[in-house]
Amino acid sequence: MSVLVNKNSKVIVQGFTGSEGSFHAQQMIEYGTNVVGGVTPGKGGSTHLDRPVFNTVAEAVEKAGADTSIIFVPPAFAADAILEAADAGIKVIITITEGIPVKDMIAVKAYLKGKDLTLIGPNCPGVITPGEAKVGIMPGFVFKPGRIGIVSKSGTLTYEAADQIVKAGLGISTAIGIGGDPIIGTPTKNAVEMLMNDPETDAIVMIGEIGGNYEAMAAEYIRSTGNRKPVVGFIAGQTAPKGRRMGHAGAIIGGADDTAEAKMRIMRENGIFVVDSPAEIGDTMVKALRGEAVNA
Amino acid sequence: MNIHEYQGKEILKRYGVRIQEGIVASTAEEAVEAAKRLTEETGTGWHVIKAQIHAGGRGKGGGVKLAKNLEQVKEIAGQIIGMNLVTHQTGPEGKNVHKVLVAQDVYYPGVSETKEFYVSILLDRATGQNVIMYSTEGGMDIEEVAEHTPDKIFKEYISPVVGLQGFQARKIAFNFGLEGEAFKEMVKFITALYKAYVETDSSMFEINPVLKTSDNKILAVDAKVDLDDNALYRHKDLADLRDITEEDPLEVEAGEHNLNYVKLDGNVGCMVNGAGLAMATMDIIKLSGGEPANFLDVGGGANAKTVEAGFRIILKDPNVKAILINIFGGIVRCDRVANGVVEAYKNIGNIEVPIIVRLQGTNAEEGARIIDESGLKVSSAVLLKDAAQKVKEVIESVNA
């Protein structure tokens, strides 16, 4: 089963012929992802990486049956690319682009509301279902198939968590990089919910960071499920100063509730096994699965 | 991007928001000239001299003073320009004042009492829309109002589809308890302010206080404006408002090398790929008994050049007693990063602080071997917990 992407996903790359798009499309193809083509306006009819190039997403849907898109379009044009994919009927839109203006994303979010599709990102590493499909920029070899789901705001920290899970003798069902921007398509709670309802996921790693209230909302949801599956959590930025932006556009402490400390407390109160050190994610997951993890 | 009060007010005025008028000055003499001109233009008798720095709490720190005549303008401007202003937002080291805003006195007596309000506009992340936050408790620290009298803070959410509506602006004016001319003025003020916010791609406006004058005008006495860095490409004029003298010189230098660096007060420097892992690495330093000296994200392309630039910036901070490099190589191969570290180390020469390099991911073992065989005073780790342990040992030896 897994979630969002699998071996049947028909993936197109928006920004296919650009340097980022080309490089990562090649990597995805080598991984075994079913990349059915790409979109670069004005280059339709040509071939790139042995795949057809289309002028529009609608054409890619019609001619190649695309249902999933990954976007590498530069920030100034990325909102337009997301809207084009949505308008063409793409069901899973994964936006890697970093640096999209907030005003553009406010409009995108409003347009997508109520539509039957999922936007992941922007400013994210993408989604991987190991052994089936990699629709993102993550190093595929780190993610071995298994039954642990990962939800994370950060790229390299996702790889770190996956690596620890694999080294602990476990594997990954699906890893979802939700992105580090102030406005993202799929908040932590929605991503956790997908994994909670996935029969092939036994437990979840949830990685957040300072800023916003997504982790608190997810924690309350997890409790509302009766903590059906164990969740191991980590929040990056315990040492981040207030009011300074730490790399990600969304990683800024605005009020008392979006500090790492507050989020960790809320997560613990809702039955999540929170680790203080990111080095303990793997070991804690093993304990959680054995019923030996301590919530403190 | 933060800008100065006087710059923020210029933007507001352009969009039809009434402001406390003022003229910026860099010397006491310029301040006197500015005061004369302002009296001619606005009829103001007294002048307010306001330090222009990127931090709040200026009044309490002695950076805002009233001058009742031109001698006082000269004297006060002379005191404030060049002073090191310490406020609760600058940190104990304070900030140097290079400019003052000579502003009109707007608290003059008249037919009615003056009254102060609070208005801010920002993004509500949970709903993905802008929100106007406002309070009758103007001129006070809004965080204190939120803590002690949260019922005095109101929020008006703005639909991204239709934008701010007239009824919403009227609701705000009614909630402020205004009537007659002041009510109409407030509706105009809120409407123009929101237009300015949206059209400049701002990420925050904080107008504290908004003043109802004794003759029922509504105006912005202060203006904190924060612009969305990601949107500056479409606002060339606003991008030019950047004042790098307000920024940490090391952060400016890092930006020139496309490194994302934030200076902190600790003793262990770090260099990491990825913002989330960089924050997590700072947390590990703290858990190992140290304090992070910085946040530094070298981004996707960790190579010899970026690593060297990162080293040089971290080493300029005299508080740094050790450095932890934490790279998770995905697309970036660890052996290349390791060679980059060795090369950068040799190029810089005489690095005296211990360095721990943790390389994980593609070709991690190869990377560790390169570090170990380099003969440099660098220790390697592959697992994050090993790196944490090594940081701990180094900190203990430094503190011993």
Side-chain angles (χ1 to χ4, degrees):
Chain A
M1 260 295 290
S2 66
V3 302
L4 291 168
V5 301
N6 58 38
K7 57 180 183 298
N8 298 320
S9 301
K10 291 185 172 173
V11 180
I12 52 159
V13 179
Q14 287 177 257
F16 191 34
T17 55
S19 65
E20 287 278 298
S22 288
F23 177 79
H24 289 290
Q26 182 67 42
Q27 297 272 323
M28 288 190 279
I29 291 166
E30 281 169 18
Y31 188 82
T33 307
N34 184 18
V35 177
V36 297
V39 176
T40 298
K43 291 193 180 168
S46 61
T47 307
H48 183 62
L49 308 178
D50 291 329
R51 305 290 193 283
V53 182
F54 302 100
N55 278 325
T56 66
V57 179
E59 203 185 340
V61 171
E62 187 200 330
K63 293 184 179 157
D67 55 17
T68 303
S69 175
I70 179 164
I71 296 176
F72 290 99
V73 172
F77 314 102
D80 179 55
I82 298 170
L83 296 176
E84 183 184 356
D87 185 63
I90 295 285
K91 294 296 175 209
V92 177
I93 305 169
I94 296 169
T95 307
I96 306 299
T97 311
E98 177 175 5
I100 305 177
V102 167
K103 188 161 79 180
D104 297 6
M105 282 310 300
I106 290 177
V108 166
K109 187 105 178 166
Y111 180 83
L112 298 186
K113 202 173 177 185
K115 291 212 166 33
D116 177 28
L117 59 83
T118 304
L119 170 69
I120 301 288
N123 189 12
C124 79
V127 180
I128 183 168
T129 297
E132 296 200 28
K134 171 181 116 144
V135 189
I137 59 172
M138 62 286 279
F141 74 93
V142 175
F143 296 78
K144 303 277 187 278
R147 302 184 61 87
I148 310 295
I150 300 178
V151 173
S152 170
K153 272 184 181 173
S154 144
T156 41
L157 202 46
T158 312
Y159 318 159
E160 176 68 45
D163 186 60
Q164 288 182 32
I165 293 293
V166 169
K167 290 218 162 68
L170 302 163
I172 317 298
S173 54
T174 299
I176 310 169
I178 59 171
D181 270 4
I183 297 186
I184 52 176
T186 302
T188 315
K189 182 231 156 194
N190 303 48
V192 168
E193 193 172 1
M194 291 175 201
L195 294 167
M196 202 56 100
N197 294 328
D198 172 32
E200 295 189 350
T201 297
D202 292 339
I204 299 163
V205 175
M206 173 177 139
I207 297 170
E209 60 190 32
I210 52 166
N213 65 344
Y214 287 162
E215 293 85 358
M217 285 159 62
E220 279 157 25
Y221 161 75
I222 289 164
R223 178 163 214 108
S224 77
T225 68
N227 298 79
R228 208 163 68 222
K229 296 177 182 178
V231 179
V232 172
F234 172 71
I235 300 290
Q238 297 165 54
T239 47
K242 198 181 165 191
R244 296 298 310 268
R245 196 160 57 82
M246 307 303 278
H248 286 154
I252 181 165
I253 299 173
D257 289 339
D258 55 4
T259 62
E261 197 186 356
K263 291 186 185 205
M264 289 161 76
R265 176 177 49 75
I266 294 167
M267 285 159 66
R268 285 194 174 111
E269 283 166 5
N270 286 286
I272 295 169
F273 303 108
V274 179
V275 294
D276 289 321
S277 165
E280 292 162 6
I281 295 170
D283 293 349
T284 306
M285 180 53 84
V286 171
K287 284 185 195 155
L289 288 169
R290 285 192 197 132
E292 291 168 6
V294 185
N295 190 353
Chain B
M1 183 180 87
N2 281 321
I3 58 175
H4 287 293
E5 174 196 359
Y6 77 92
Q7 297 168 322
K9 281 178 166 173
E10 279 167 17
I11 293 173
L12 296 189
K13 192 176 176 181
R14 219 182 294 159
Y15 285 90
V17 179
R18 195 191 293 274
I19 56 165
Q20 173 200 39
E21 297 288 342
I23 297 168
V24 73
S26 306
T27 64
E29 290 69 33
E30 274 180 39
V32 172
E33 287 312 306
K36 284 183 193 160
R37 227 173 85 202
L38 203 60
T39 300
E40 279 169 28
E41 287 169 9
T42 67
T44 190
W46 294 349
H47 296 89
V48 189
I49 314 298
K50 307 168 95 173
Q52 298 297 290
I53 57 166
H54 288 182
R58 293 170 299 165
K60 278 182 198 156
V64 179
K65 284 185 174 154
L66 181 67
K68 295 187 175 174
N69 54 51
L70 292 178
E71 287 75 49
Q72 286 186 3
V73 168
K74 190 170 181 183
E75 189 191 329
I76 294 169
Q79 284 166 4
I80 294 180
I81 295 168
M83 84 183 279
N84 189 50
L85 183 53
V86 179
T87 82
H88 68 285
Q89 286 186 5
T90 60
E93 68 278 11
K95 276 195 164 177
N96 246 314
V97 182
H98 302 292
K99 284 178 180 156
V100 291
L101 180 63
V102 180
Q104 69 176 136
D105 167 34
V106 285
Y107 290 83
Y108 46 82
V111 294
S112 67
E113 290 287 307
T114 59
K115 191 155 177 15
E116 292 182 326
F117 307 101
Y118 171 94
V119 177
S120 64
I121 309 177
L122 65 161
L123 170 72
D124 181 66
R125 292 166 63 153
T127 59
Q129 53 192 352
N130 293 326
V131 59
I132 300 178
M133 201 161 82
Y134 61 103
S135 172
T136 50
E137 306 303 289
M140 297 179 44
D141 184 351
I142 197 65
E143 278 161 13
E144 272 179 35
V145 179
E147 197 180 325
H148 299 298
T149 48
D151 54 310
K152 287 188 174 164
I153 294 179
F154 301 90
K155 286 179 179 176
E156 192 65 31
Y157 292 88
I158 313 303
S159 157
V161 180
V162 295
L164 175 72
Q165 296 297 297
F167 79 89
Q168 295 181 296
R170 292 195 297 276
K171 185 158 117 194
I172 293 169
F174 280 127
N175 280 338
F176 279 147
L178 297 172
E179 53 188 32
E181 188 57 28
F183 173 86
K184 281 189 216 157
E185 277 263 325
M186 182 60 87
V187 171
K188 254 171 66 188
F189 181 90
I190 296 291
T191 308
L193 191 71
Y194 189 74
K195 186 173 163 41
Y197 180 84
V198 171
E199 293 193 3
T200 54
D201 268 292
S202 285
S203 44
M204 188 176 73
F205 272 7
E206 187 177 44
I207 316 297
N208 189 21
V210 173
L211 180 73
K212 184 196 81 68
T213 61
S214 61
D215 52 355
N216 293 319
K217 291 192 180 83
I218 302 293
L219 51 83
V221 179
D222 195 1
K224 180 173 172 17
V225 170
D226 195 355
L227 303 165
D228 181 355
D229 298 82
N230 289 338
L232 287 175
Y233 74 88
R234 55 190 176 202
H235 302 284
K236 185 73 189 69
D237 55 327
L238 300 181
D240 291 342
L241 299 178
R242 182 175 174 199
D243 180 357
I244 59 165
T245 65
E246 284 291 318
E247 299 171 29
D248 186 287
L250 287 181
E251 293 181 12
V252 174
E253 189 184 335
E256 285 162 7
H257 291 98
N258 288 320
L259 299 173
N260 209 330
Y261 172 88
V262 177
K263 174 142 173 20
L264 303 170
D265 298 329
N267 53 5
V268 181
C270 56
M271 190 180 338
V272 189
N273 66 334
L277 191 59
M279 278 188 277
T281 303
M282 286 160 46
D283 297 343
I284 284 187
I285 289 169
K286 172 90 173 176
L287 290 165
S288 304
E291 290 288 341
N294 64 277
F295 166 95
L296 176 56
D297 174 11
V298 297
N303 55 39
K305 231 173 133 189
T306 52
V307 168
E308 185 175 331
F311 260 136
R312 289 189 187 276
I313 286 161
I314 293 173
L315 288 167
K316 279 186 187 164
D317 177 353
N319 296 328
V320 169
K321 300 285 179 278
I323 298 175
L324 169 60
I325 298 179
N326 185 11
I327 303 288
F328 198 106
I331 307 304
V332 188
R333 282 166 33 198
C334 291
D335 52 327
R336 286 210 187 152
V337 177
N339 281 323
V341 170
V342 172
E343 204 180 307
Y345 196 103
K346 285 181 178 157
N347 282 345
I348 296 171
N350 58 43
I351 294 179
E352 311 217 324
V353 300
I355 294 173
I356 301 143
V357 182
R358 184 269 179 153
L359 298 169
Q360 175 64 295
T362 315
N363 296 358
E365 278 75 25
E366 176 71 4
R369 193 187 55 74
I370 291 168
I371 297 291
D372 291 340
E373 292 175 1
S374 67
L376 303 174
K377 215 172 96 186
V378 178
S379 57
S380 73
V382 174
L383 294 180
L384 196 49
K385 39 186 171 186
D386 297 342
Q389 181 58 35
K390 287 198 168 160
V391 170
K392 198 170 178 182
E393 286 161 17
V394 165
I395 290 165
E396 278 163 6
S397 73
V398 166
N399 289 341

